[in-house]
Amino acid sequence: MDYQFPKQLFPSFYNCGPPDLVLKHCAGNWGCYDRVRPQGGSGPLSSWTFTSRHQVGGEAWRHTEPVPVPLLSPKNSFPWLSTPPDPQDFTEHMQNFFMDHCQDAFGSISGILSENLNLKPGRKGKSRSDSVYMTKMENIIKKVKLKRCPFSFDSTVLDRYGTLLSDVLPAVPPELLGSLLYEELEEQRERMLFCEAATGGALAFIPFSQSGSDPQRGCLLYPGNQGLDFLNFHRVELQQHRGTPSCLDASSCELSTFQLQGPVRQISAASLINDCCVAVRSDHLCGVWRFSEGNKPQLMEVVNTKEVGTCISVSPHVLGEVLVASESGAVNLWTVGKRMQKVRKEEEYLYFNAKSSWRWCEFSAHPRVMQYADRTGVELCDIRMSPVSNHTLFRIGNTSECRSGERLILSRYLADVHPFHHLITTQYSAYIMDERFPCMPVLKWDHMMQSPPMFCHTVPGSDPSRTAKVLLGSHSSQEITLLQYSGGRAEACSSRGPPQALLRPRDSLRHLPVQIPHRLELATSRLSIPAAGLTCIHKRGGGGEECICILQLTEAGDIFYQILEPEQPHTPPQAPERNTPSGIKVAERPPHSLNLTSATSSDEDIIGPNQVLSYVPETPERERPELEIYSSSSESESQSKTRYMKRLHMQLQVIDNVNVDHGNESDTAGVSAETVSEEKAEIPEESSRMEEPSSSVQKLSDGVVVTWKQWLQKLMQKSRENKPRPQRRQPYKVPTEDLLHLSGVQARGEDSAEKERMENLRRDLRACMTSRSLLVHSAVSASLGDQEVVAVPNAVDTDTWKDPTSERFTVSWQGEGAWQAWWEENLGLNRGKKVEALRRKRKREKEARRSSSQQSVLSGSFTSSLCYQSDLSDFSNLSGWSSTASQGVWSDSGGALSQAEDSIENGSRRATTPSSVQTDAPVPTLTPTPTPTPQRDKQASQTPSSTRAPPPTPKSLKKSKRQTDYLSALFAPQDEPSQHGGYFLEEDSTVHHKPPPVASSSYQLHSSQSASLRSVRTGFSQSLTPSRSLTPSQSSQGRPGLSQTSQTKKKKPRMGF
Amino acid sequence: MDDLERELMSFKDLEDDNDSFDDNSSKASTKSKLPLPNYGMHAEPPRESGFHRSTRVCLEHIRDALLHHRWQEAAEYMACYPQILEDTTNGSAQSYKELTWRISAEILHHHPKSKLEDYNNIYERMKHSGVRHYLMICLEHSFHLLLNGHIEEAKRQLSVSESWRYGKESAAQDQKTKLIQAYRSLLDYIIWVDKKFTNSNTEYPESNENQDIRNYFRTASVNLKEILKNPGVWDPFILSYVEMLEFYEDHEEALKVLNDYAYDNSFPPNPNAHVYLYQYLKRCDTPEKNQMKVLKILHVSVPSHELMLEYSSFLLKSEKSSDIEKALRVVLEMLDFACWRSSLDVWKRLEAIIQKLQQQENWKYVVRTNMAERHGWWPALHFTCFHASKDSEENPELMQVKAPLTKILCPDLTLKYTDWQATNGK
């Protein structure tokens, strides 16, 4: 009797005012009865029974498979963000854009400007009068130290300069691009965390026949294609064969497919007897289709909403009436084919400012009373009166025990469950409202989902004694929660059992055969794509067994389904002291005894202990040679064994539970652990597996494994088909042959040797892979030769450097205190103190001497004077201070140079520099240290010539010039001493390194070889340009010890001089 | 109770950080930022000791197991979890206590061999471990006892917690106290009923026995009267209170209580309040006019209520001509609702009303005005060929009533319902 109102409701307070409750724990309302009310009874005490609002047990449903099963093969593959982007990363995104799409980012402006640029110096006649001279421009650009794109070179001179220029002239101003990008990322992040457009869900199932016995057939509506802009009507059939688990058959052909002009956001459907009306919402368009079992879907009408549509809802009362809500705040009643009638328009919020333009609308028990919802609450609008009369159905704040910050997420009229019931979900709770008694929820759950429930599907109880099931689905975390409740008619509503979390696609991989890493990664990211819809096929227990098939759609267009079956009671209900609210309910409630408690059951899911023995002989198989491991069959076998053992684990504990009093859980756990360890002795191979948490008791059926395998294979295939990124330009390679000064023969010889080495290396690698060993140095050194073995630099002997700068550096390694002491000492700040200390010391010594012996007075006084002198020299080592001052400055400037260099260099290059330092620094013959100095010399005189410097590629020229500018700017006042030092050094270098070009080139050869080798190995595509060899002092960045080495080397010849 | 200070402190900072939502979305964006539930599960706190980490991971496992209804596994993990209660460094010990209690109780609910002693054990221990959840756990404890039929034990529990006073912590605490008192009084009422019952069976009731029963009434009525002053839903309480008042013939008080419950605007619009008032008036044989007044008000708030059938019969009996029109309106409105659409009683009532109405001269006008607003959707709601086939299958009698009415209600439309009947019915 649907029209009945409960005779007695559960007592509760009615609180008004803003919610202030903050829940600090994560247990929701577990373990709570909420309220009780007396039931029946009007006589003696024993006749009174009570019933609680939250009842302990509901119907027990169990999964037929431990994983959801994919319904359709993957149709597409595209990269997907697994974590929401951080808006602060917009600079990184900009950088990637500039690097990967430099033509788009800069090409247009440089193209426009190219005709106004005169690139070749000195030829004035040919160019236009208003053209800019690039030589000047070039200088200006060089002065501005910008991060440059390492890839953006092209073959012609024009493009080279064009790119150089384009770095400063992006097509979109970086400020604008940055702010737009930030905005976009922020929105993307919010959309990933909470996508309100998807509310309602874009998946629907329309059953064709209502009869129970034959297989449940119907039409599944889901969006397809990459952008979810295809609406598919697909005939599916829920098949059930005795003995085998039921499955969903989608093999029959699709009924039809429609292409829409935007992603399908929501599908709402209602059917009346045989005719069905389907309304589809995309962002700006809403359409209505009509179809029935015999007829193909037929598009009736499409409307365009000016603002983004937020809700579409088909009337369960009158076919062809649709409610449409949009972000403008208006709700329209759309009578398909006839007219659009404005139901309500609300610019403001219903109750308080929720800062959201999301609106929702649903029908209610009366065909002309509509539900209007925003984030703050729900109102019922009676549209029969000319100013629409409204009254509150639900209001955040007026509903008892709302929590702080709670907002409405979804509201749904539960026409099929109860004609007056509405479901309202917030991010914390789910409420059942009875529209006859507004403002007070008749039921409230803590759904305990991590992300707010946006999809909902209800399964009415097939007869009044059964519970109605509410399935809530969340968007980003893919959760599905099953809630059960009963009542609402003669009896007050009561929830049955705690919320039950169902399976998620993202958790399924751990139940499947192990995947190799890159497949695993792809599959994981694919499976964790947010959900986009939820629906359910309910097969009533007629001829076959009752079951519920829950389908979930993800934003990638995949559909997964899981089938729930009522749990079969294995043992008669054995709880005499259980909560027995009423006589009827005991009988009707399936006993909620654990499935596991029946050790004697013959159910195939539970394996008796006698089967353990049959398992033992199998174990040696696992220790077969590693060749087997690659075959997936043995992999899945071992997987199933793991599960087997898990179940065994469970089973063992269960057996214990039968014997042991279960009053104390810890007791049981202890005993079961003992038994397990006993079993361990029998099966030692599995001991490590046993400790894994037994997450699943169920076994995957072979059919499901095959389905999943095929699905994953198809996914891999699809992902191979379309490249993850559009083809980007090949990085420009600088031809280096002429720079290396190599004879052709040598180079060729080198090539063949190289090739052979690579062959060897590959072979080694393959051997390592097959033997599953690590690729260690000893394995490759043979094929690589000796040259990779880099000598460890000699230990730095600090005693050899006596100059104060070196000393200071040495001392500064000991810490701040030592460094400060050095300075104090050097500046003579502590001189008085020291003299005092010395005097004291001498006095002490004198006294000691006097007391010890009177014999050698004279010799004693002599030695003491000696040591006095040495002490003094120790304490005030001022010699050479003034002479080494210039050196100190020079080394500073060297540091600055390296810093400047570093700021130009890309980070990836920095990674390779230390190795080159290590090779060249300790070997005196190869020291390229002098090479920067001649350059410096020339730069000082501002006359670039290429006599001794390596061939001037444009890059090296630029760089050296830049350095000079930088240096001169930095060290203008100290110009003289540094130049002075430079002269000295230059002379030294000419003396010591007889032909410097040869030395440097030989170094270049070496470094470029090793670099090319390295680049081959590591897969770095950028080749090492020879300009690097010019600036070995860059290695001194952040490494004072090394800069000291180079300093001593500079200094040594000077001492000799 | 030595940690009272700390609890109060933590309660304060609990209040401080509550409205984060309005703060962080002060900028004028149309997209809302929802405060999402943070179950403290996945975010790893920046600094935590090994103990805290292991308990946190343990809690995650428990939660996961409970959500998937793997009670066995949850129980195994739960054996280790209560360690957290011994932790003194953590400020939010209060929430851990509640957590422990809730999870333990839930596991016990689903344990095949849980005993009342186990429940008593956990309830007693947890209720004495902190101040703020004492009343809540007491209430739940008594509920558990009540559900298992231990009414006297439950009453003892409630009496103990009723006398418990520990300052005034919050409004919620105050409400819990009132609820405890009300439930205790409800149990007093039940004992009162029990005594009355046994007393009525003996032929000569003794006077001191009567006095005893009256004492139960007195103790019960104090608290029941008290709780009825608070806005809320008090159906079981008001019923028992009114029953006792009626027994002692305090009709004035009973009527006042019921009137307040029904018509006080601070109370939620509970349809049962009107029903109780109506039933009381009916029991007391008050004039029909008063009864109709109650039903009239109920009709405004719940036009689909089953008492509307009685209301329409009152109106039908009435002499006034306007009442017939009212009755028509009431019944048509009932038929708007899905739950009455295939009810034979309502259609028959409608038939009776129309028949009576037809005696008036302007009956066509009356029907037309009332049907004008339904013109667009009533045919689709009641008179399609689907309805025709359904009615003929499930309830042929209904079809017999409905078919002639279609002509009267929608005279200018050719309806598929009658067409279908014409082709298939005969």
Side-chain angles (χ1 to χ4, degrees), chain A residues 1-3, chain B residues 331 334-348 378 381-383 386-388 390-392 394-399 401-402 417:
Chain A
M1 294 295 138
D2 285 341
Y3 48 79
Chain B
V331 172
M334 280 175 89
L335 287 172
D336 288 347
F337 288 95
C339 53
W340 293 109
R341 258 170 233 167
S342 50
S343 162
L344 185 62
D345 290 343
V346 184
W347 282 101
K348 273 188 171 163
W378 255 55
L381 207 62
H382 294 288
F383 306 129
F386 297 127
H387 289 105
K390 195 177 159 223
D391 287 345
S392 71
E394 292 169 8
N395 201 347
E397 199 185 341
L398 175 66
M399 199 166 188
V401 180
K402 244 170 113 174
Y417 192 87

Tab-separated table of all heavy atoms in Angstrom, chain A residues 1-3, chain B residues 331 334-348 378 381-383 386-388 390-392 394-399 401-402 417:
chain	number	residue	atom	x	y	z
A	1	MET	N	0.843	-1.195	0.000
A	1	MET	CA	0.000	0.000	0.000
A	1	MET	C	0.877	1.245	0.000
A	1	MET	O	1.392	1.676	1.027
A	1	MET	CB	-0.889	-0.011	1.249
A	1	MET	CG	-1.896	-1.131	1.235
A	1	MET	SD	-3.080	-0.933	-0.080
A	1	MET	CE	-3.221	-2.583	-0.689
A	2	ASP	N	1.060	1.776	-1.153
A	2	ASP	CA	1.997	2.866	-1.311
A	2	ASP	C	1.535	4.152	-0.634
A	2	ASP	O	2.337	4.996	-0.300
A	2	ASP	CB	2.210	3.153	-2.803
A	2	ASP	CG	3.084	2.107	-3.437
A	2	ASP	OD1	3.792	1.407	-2.680
A	2	ASP	OD2	3.066	2.003	-4.679
A	3	TYR	N	0.213	4.292	-0.480
A	3	TYR	CA	-0.283	5.569	0.032
A	3	TYR	C	-0.196	5.670	1.544
A	3	TYR	O	-0.457	6.702	2.109
A	3	TYR	CB	-1.733	5.792	-0.426
A	3	TYR	CG	-2.643	4.600	-0.206
A	3	TYR	CD1	-3.163	4.356	1.060
A	3	TYR	CD2	-2.963	3.744	-1.246
A	3	TYR	CE1	-3.991	3.266	1.280
A	3	TYR	CE2	-3.790	2.655	-1.029
A	3	TYR	CZ	-4.301	2.403	0.232
A	3	TYR	OH	-5.107	1.327	0.459
B	331	VAL	N	-10.825	14.488	-4.241
B	331	VAL	CA	-10.654	13.179	-4.878
B	331	VAL	C	-9.844	13.290	-6.167
B	331	VAL	O	-8.988	12.441	-6.443
B	331	VAL	CB	-12.029	12.524	-5.131
B	331	VAL	CG1	-11.879	11.273	-5.950
B	331	VAL	CG2	-12.677	12.190	-3.815
B	334	MET	N	-6.358	13.431	-5.197
B	334	MET	CA	-5.831	12.120	-4.816
B	334	MET	C	-5.445	11.328	-6.064
B	334	MET	O	-4.422	10.640	-6.074
B	334	MET	CB	-6.881	11.335	-4.034
B	334	MET	CG	-6.989	11.724	-2.583
B	334	MET	SD	-8.330	10.853	-1.807
B	334	MET	CE	-7.516	9.379	-1.269
B	335	LEU	N	-6.270	11.447	-7.081
B	335	LEU	CA	-5.995	10.673	-8.290
B	335	LEU	C	-4.787	11.196	-9.069
B	335	LEU	O	-4.272	10.510	-9.945
B	335	LEU	CB	-7.233	10.655	-9.193
B	335	LEU	CG	-8.358	9.774	-8.689
B	335	LEU	CD1	-9.598	9.964	-9.532
B	335	LEU	CD2	-7.947	8.308	-8.708
B	336	ASP	N	-4.364	12.408	-8.739
B	336	ASP	CA	-3.137	12.905	-9.368
B	336	ASP	C	-1.928	12.056	-8.980
B	336	ASP	O	-0.971	11.938	-9.731
B	336	ASP	CB	-2.855	14.343	-8.923
B	336	ASP	CG	-3.815	15.332	-9.545
B	336	ASP	OD1	-4.515	14.931	-10.485
B	336	ASP	OD2	-3.843	16.491	-9.093
B	337	PHE	N	-1.996	11.508	-7.780
B	337	PHE	CA	-0.834	10.795	-7.259
B	337	PHE	C	-0.793	9.373	-7.766
B	337	PHE	O	-1.830	8.696	-7.900
B	337	PHE	CB	-0.847	10.805	-5.733
B	337	PHE	CG	-0.535	12.153	-5.161
B	337	PHE	CD1	-1.551	13.022	-4.812
B	337	PHE	CD2	0.778	12.561	-5.003
B	337	PHE	CE1	-1.269	14.267	-4.307
B	337	PHE	CE2	1.065	13.807	-4.500
B	337	PHE	CZ	0.042	14.674	-4.150
B	338	ALA	N	0.427	8.940	-8.000
B	338	ALA	CA	0.632	7.624	-8.595
B	338	ALA	C	0.032	6.513	-7.752
B	338	ALA	O	-0.499	5.538	-8.283
B	338	ALA	CB	2.122	7.389	-8.790
B	339	CYS	N	0.110	6.689	-6.421
B	339	CYS	CA	-0.282	5.578	-5.558
B	339	CYS	C	-1.790	5.328	-5.555
B	339	CYS	O	-2.245	4.257	-5.166
B	339	CYS	CB	0.227	5.829	-4.156
B	339	CYS	SG	-0.245	7.413	-3.493
B	340	TRP	N	-2.580	6.324	-5.958
B	340	TRP	CA	-4.033	6.137	-5.945
B	340	TRP	C	-4.590	5.857	-7.339
B	340	TRP	O	-5.791	5.651	-7.489
B	340	TRP	CB	-4.737	7.389	-5.398
B	340	TRP	CG	-4.478	7.659	-3.951
B	340	TRP	CD1	-3.713	8.667	-3.441
B	340	TRP	CD2	-4.984	6.936	-2.824
B	340	TRP	NE1	-3.698	8.614	-2.075
B	340	TRP	CE2	-4.480	7.555	-1.661
B	340	TRP	CE3	-5.807	5.817	-2.678
B	340	TRP	CZ2	-4.760	7.109	-0.382
B	340	TRP	CZ3	-6.084	5.372	-1.397
B	340	TRP	CH2	-5.567	6.015	-0.260
B	341	ARG	N	-3.730	5.889	-8.337
B	341	ARG	CA	-4.220	5.881	-9.709
B	341	ARG	C	-5.051	4.652	-10.048
B	341	ARG	O	-5.988	4.727	-10.813
B	341	ARG	CB	-3.027	5.969	-10.673
B	341	ARG	CG	-2.857	7.340	-11.225
B	341	ARG	CD	-1.557	7.475	-11.958
B	341	ARG	NE	-0.829	8.619	-11.436
B	341	ARG	CZ	0.439	8.869	-11.696
B	341	ARG	NH1	1.133	8.027	-12.433
B	341	ARG	NH2	1.015	9.924	-11.209
B	342	SER	N	-4.677	3.540	-9.476
B	342	SER	CA	-5.448	2.340	-9.814
B	342	SER	C	-6.233	1.841	-8.609
B	342	SER	O	-6.505	0.651	-8.488
B	342	SER	CB	-4.502	1.254	-10.342
B	342	SER	OG	-3.425	1.110	-9.454
B	343	SER	N	-6.577	2.785	-7.734
B	343	SER	CA	-7.356	2.391	-6.552
B	343	SER	C	-8.843	2.427	-6.882
B	343	SER	O	-9.400	3.462	-7.255
B	343	SER	CB	-7.043	3.333	-5.400
B	343	SER	OG	-8.042	3.243	-4.424
B	344	LEU	N	-9.479	1.312	-6.710
B	344	LEU	CA	-10.902	1.211	-7.035
B	344	LEU	C	-11.743	2.098	-6.119
B	344	LEU	O	-12.712	2.737	-6.549
B	344	LEU	CB	-11.330	-0.257	-6.929
B	344	LEU	CG	-12.759	-0.592	-7.340
B	344	LEU	CD1	-12.961	-0.258	-8.799
B	344	LEU	CD2	-13.056	-2.052	-7.073
B	345	ASP	N	-11.335	2.163	-4.846
B	345	ASP	CA	-12.094	2.949	-3.868
B	345	ASP	C	-12.195	4.405	-4.284
B	345	ASP	O	-13.260	5.016	-4.203
B	345	ASP	CB	-11.420	2.861	-2.499
B	345	ASP	CG	-11.559	1.475	-1.901
B	345	ASP	OD1	-12.430	0.733	-2.385
B	345	ASP	OD2	-10.784	1.146	-0.978
B	346	VAL	N	-11.107	4.953	-4.701
B	346	VAL	CA	-11.093	6.377	-5.034
B	346	VAL	C	-11.922	6.634	-6.292
B	346	VAL	O	-12.693	7.596	-6.349
B	346	VAL	CB	-9.645	6.869	-5.222
B	346	VAL	CG1	-9.631	8.357	-5.479
B	346	VAL	CG2	-8.810	6.548	-4.005
B	347	TRP	N	-11.781	5.757	-7.250
B	347	TRP	CA	-12.568	5.943	-8.473
B	347	TRP	C	-14.051	5.801	-8.188
B	347	TRP	O	-14.891	6.504	-8.748
B	347	TRP	CB	-12.119	4.958	-9.558
B	347	TRP	CG	-10.837	5.374	-10.240
B	347	TRP	CD1	-9.599	4.876	-10.002
B	347	TRP	CD2	-10.701	6.379	-11.234
B	347	TRP	NE1	-8.673	5.506	-10.781
B	347	TRP	CE2	-9.314	6.446	-11.570
B	347	TRP	CE3	-11.579	7.243	-11.884
B	347	TRP	CZ2	-8.812	7.317	-12.513
B	347	TRP	CZ3	-11.064	8.117	-12.834
B	347	TRP	CH2	-9.700	8.150	-13.141
B	348	LYS	N	-14.378	4.893	-7.280
B	348	LYS	CA	-15.782	4.727	-6.905
B	348	LYS	C	-16.282	5.976	-6.186
B	348	LYS	O	-17.423	6.425	-6.393
B	348	LYS	CB	-15.944	3.491	-6.006
B	348	LYS	CG	-16.134	2.222	-6.804
B	348	LYS	CD	-16.487	1.077	-5.879
B	348	LYS	CE	-16.904	-0.135	-6.686
B	348	LYS	NZ	-16.862	-1.352	-5.861
B	378	TRP	N	-3.941	14.752	-17.683
B	378	TRP	CA	-4.744	13.644	-17.160
B	378	TRP	C	-4.960	12.522	-18.167
B	378	TRP	O	-4.876	11.359	-17.807
B	378	TRP	CB	-6.092	14.158	-16.625
B	378	TRP	CG	-6.132	14.179	-15.127
B	378	TRP	CD1	-5.245	14.815	-14.314
B	378	TRP	CD2	-7.056	13.510	-14.272
B	378	TRP	NE1	-5.566	14.607	-13.008
B	378	TRP	CE2	-6.691	13.806	-12.938
B	378	TRP	CE3	-8.170	12.705	-14.494
B	378	TRP	CZ2	-7.381	13.317	-11.847
B	378	TRP	CZ3	-8.867	12.223	-13.387
B	378	TRP	CH2	-8.478	12.525	-12.079
B	381	LEU	N	-2.094	10.460	-18.119
B	381	LEU	CA	-1.871	9.848	-16.817
B	381	LEU	C	-2.811	8.671	-16.568
B	381	LEU	O	-2.449	7.712	-15.887
B	381	LEU	CB	-2.085	10.919	-15.748
B	381	LEU	CG	-1.365	10.787	-14.432
B	381	LEU	CD1	0.131	10.823	-14.655
B	381	LEU	CD2	-1.772	11.936	-13.518
B	382	HIS	N	-4.034	8.782	-17.094
B	382	HIS	CA	-5.026	7.769	-16.749
B	382	HIS	C	-5.625	7.036	-17.945
B	382	HIS	O	-6.025	5.886	-17.809
B	382	HIS	CB	-6.194	8.412	-15.991
B	382	HIS	CG	-5.825	8.949	-14.658
B	382	HIS	ND1	-5.552	8.147	-13.592
B	382	HIS	CD2	-5.653	10.213	-14.226
B	382	HIS	CE1	-5.252	8.890	-12.537
B	382	HIS	NE2	-5.302	10.154	-12.894
B	383	PHE	N	-5.722	7.724	-19.047
B	383	PHE	CA	-6.617	7.211	-20.085
B	383	PHE	C	-5.901	6.846	-21.379
B	383	PHE	O	-6.391	7.082	-22.466
B	383	PHE	CB	-7.720	8.235	-20.384
B	383	PHE	CG	-8.477	8.677	-19.155
B	383	PHE	CD1	-8.659	10.020	-18.874
B	383	PHE	CD2	-9.008	7.739	-18.280
B	383	PHE	CE1	-9.355	10.426	-17.744
B	383	PHE	CE2	-9.703	8.140	-17.148
B	383	PHE	CZ	-9.875	9.483	-16.882
B	386	PHE	N	-2.449	2.002	-22.901
B	386	PHE	CA	-1.672	1.154	-21.990
B	386	PHE	C	-2.444	0.930	-20.708
B	386	PHE	O	-2.518	-0.169	-20.190
B	386	PHE	CB	-0.337	1.815	-21.666
B	386	PHE	CG	0.540	1.991	-22.860
B	386	PHE	CD1	1.064	3.233	-23.177
B	386	PHE	CD2	0.846	0.909	-23.665
B	386	PHE	CE1	1.869	3.384	-24.276
B	386	PHE	CE2	1.656	1.066	-24.765
B	386	PHE	CZ	2.172	2.311	-25.073
B	387	HIS	N	-3.019	2.038	-20.203
B	387	HIS	CA	-3.813	1.905	-18.981
B	387	HIS	C	-5.007	0.992	-19.217
B	387	HIS	O	-5.364	0.205	-18.340
B	387	HIS	CB	-4.296	3.284	-18.527
B	387	HIS	CG	-3.191	4.139	-17.996
B	387	HIS	ND1	-2.654	5.191	-18.708
B	387	HIS	CD2	-2.500	4.091	-16.835
B	387	HIS	CE1	-1.697	5.750	-18.022
B	387	HIS	NE2	-1.574	5.110	-16.871
B	388	ALA	N	-5.582	1.139	-20.390
B	388	ALA	CA	-6.754	0.327	-20.701
B	388	ALA	C	-6.400	-1.149	-20.659
B	388	ALA	O	-7.093	-1.953	-20.011
B	388	ALA	CB	-7.290	0.707	-22.069
B	390	LYS	N	-3.880	-2.524	-19.203
B	390	LYS	CA	-3.449	-2.908	-17.859
B	390	LYS	C	-4.667	-3.110	-16.953
B	390	LYS	O	-4.738	-4.099	-16.216
B	390	LYS	CB	-2.539	-1.820	-17.295
B	390	LYS	CG	-1.743	-2.253	-16.092
B	390	LYS	CD	-0.804	-1.134	-15.653
B	390	LYS	CE	-0.406	-1.355	-14.209
B	390	LYS	NZ	-0.427	-0.117	-13.444
B	391	ASP	N	-5.587	-2.150	-17.020
B	391	ASP	CA	-6.764	-2.246	-16.152
B	391	ASP	C	-7.610	-3.463	-16.497
B	391	ASP	O	-8.122	-4.154	-15.608
B	391	ASP	CB	-7.620	-0.979	-16.288
B	391	ASP	CG	-6.964	0.203	-15.613
B	391	ASP	OD1	-6.033	-0.025	-14.819
B	391	ASP	OD2	-7.356	1.352	-15.896
B	392	SER	N	-7.729	-3.722	-17.769
B	392	SER	CA	-8.575	-4.840	-18.157
B	392	SER	C	-7.964	-6.154	-17.702
B	392	SER	O	-8.669	-7.102	-17.396
B	392	SER	CB	-8.784	-4.845	-19.670
B	392	SER	OG	-7.589	-5.210	-20.305
B	394	GLU	N	-5.728	-6.440	-14.982
B	394	GLU	CA	-5.547	-6.568	-13.546
B	394	GLU	C	-6.828	-6.287	-12.764
B	394	GLU	O	-7.021	-6.843	-11.683
B	394	GLU	CB	-4.437	-5.614	-13.075
B	394	GLU	CG	-3.067	-6.043	-13.590
B	394	GLU	CD	-2.012	-4.994	-13.378
B	394	GLU	OE1	-2.311	-3.985	-12.700
B	394	GLU	OE2	-0.898	-5.164	-13.896
B	395	ASN	N	-7.618	-5.380	-13.242
B	395	ASN	CA	-8.759	-4.956	-12.436
B	395	ASN	C	-9.915	-4.543	-13.352
B	395	ASN	O	-10.146	-3.363	-13.595
B	395	ASN	CB	-8.321	-3.771	-11.559
B	395	ASN	CG	-9.233	-3.594	-10.370
B	395	ASN	OD1	-10.310	-4.184	-10.322
B	395	ASN	ND2	-8.807	-2.782	-9.431
B	396	PRO	N	-10.659	-5.518	-13.867
B	396	PRO	CA	-11.718	-5.177	-14.832
B	396	PRO	C	-12.795	-4.293	-14.212
B	396	PRO	O	-13.393	-3.454	-14.888
B	396	PRO	CB	-12.295	-6.536	-15.218
B	396	PRO	CG	-11.300	-7.550	-14.759
B	396	PRO	CD	-10.557	-6.954	-13.629
B	397	GLU	N	-13.000	-4.469	-12.904
B	397	GLU	CA	-14.023	-3.677	-12.237
B	397	GLU	C	-13.670	-2.190	-12.279
B	397	GLU	O	-14.520	-1.331	-12.475
B	397	GLU	CB	-14.169	-4.140	-10.793
B	397	GLU	CG	-15.488	-3.712	-10.172
B	397	GLU	CD	-15.558	-4.077	-8.695
B	397	GLU	OE1	-14.777	-4.942	-8.255
B	397	GLU	OE2	-16.392	-3.491	-7.989
B	398	LEU	N	-12.394	-1.933	-12.098
B	398	LEU	CA	-11.923	-0.554	-12.161
B	398	LEU	C	-12.215	0.045	-13.525
B	398	LEU	O	-12.630	1.205	-13.634
B	398	LEU	CB	-10.412	-0.523	-11.878
B	398	LEU	CG	-9.713	0.817	-12.013
B	398	LEU	CD1	-10.211	1.778	-10.963
B	398	LEU	CD2	-8.205	0.654	-11.886
B	399	MET	N	-12.036	-0.791	-14.530
B	399	MET	CA	-12.281	-0.304	-15.879
B	399	MET	C	-13.748	0.070	-16.076
B	399	MET	O	-14.062	1.066	-16.725
B	399	MET	CB	-11.874	-1.373	-16.881
B	399	MET	CG	-11.676	-0.807	-18.242
B	399	MET	SD	-10.840	-1.964	-19.282
B	399	MET	CE	-10.552	-0.961	-20.686
B	401	VAL	N	-15.650	1.235	-13.851
B	401	VAL	CA	-15.908	2.511	-13.185
B	401	VAL	C	-15.289	3.663	-13.970
B	401	VAL	O	-15.878	4.737	-14.119
B	401	VAL	CB	-15.348	2.466	-11.739
B	401	VAL	CG1	-15.590	3.779	-11.024
B	401	VAL	CG2	-15.966	1.326	-10.962
B	402	LYS	N	-14.076	3.404	-14.461
B	402	LYS	CA	-13.294	4.469	-15.081
B	402	LYS	C	-13.867	4.907	-16.427
B	402	LYS	O	-13.904	6.112	-16.717
B	402	LYS	CB	-11.860	3.971	-15.304
B	402	LYS	CG	-10.817	4.735	-14.504
B	402	LYS	CD	-9.469	4.023	-14.596
B	402	LYS	CE	-8.462	4.849	-15.348
B	402	LYS	NZ	-7.114	4.211	-15.314
B	417	TYR	N	-8.427	5.299	-24.196
B	417	TYR	CA	-8.882	4.365	-23.174
B	417	TYR	C	-10.229	3.766	-23.566
B	417	TYR	O	-10.413	2.558	-23.568
B	417	TYR	CB	-8.996	5.117	-21.846
B	417	TYR	CG	-9.180	4.236	-20.632
B	417	TYR	CD1	-8.065	3.724	-19.981
B	417	TYR	CD2	-10.433	3.946	-20.130
B	417	TYR	CE1	-8.208	2.935	-18.866
B	417	TYR	CE2	-10.594	3.156	-19.019
B	417	TYR	CZ	-9.475	2.650	-18.381
B	417	TYR	OH	-9.621	1.861	-17.270
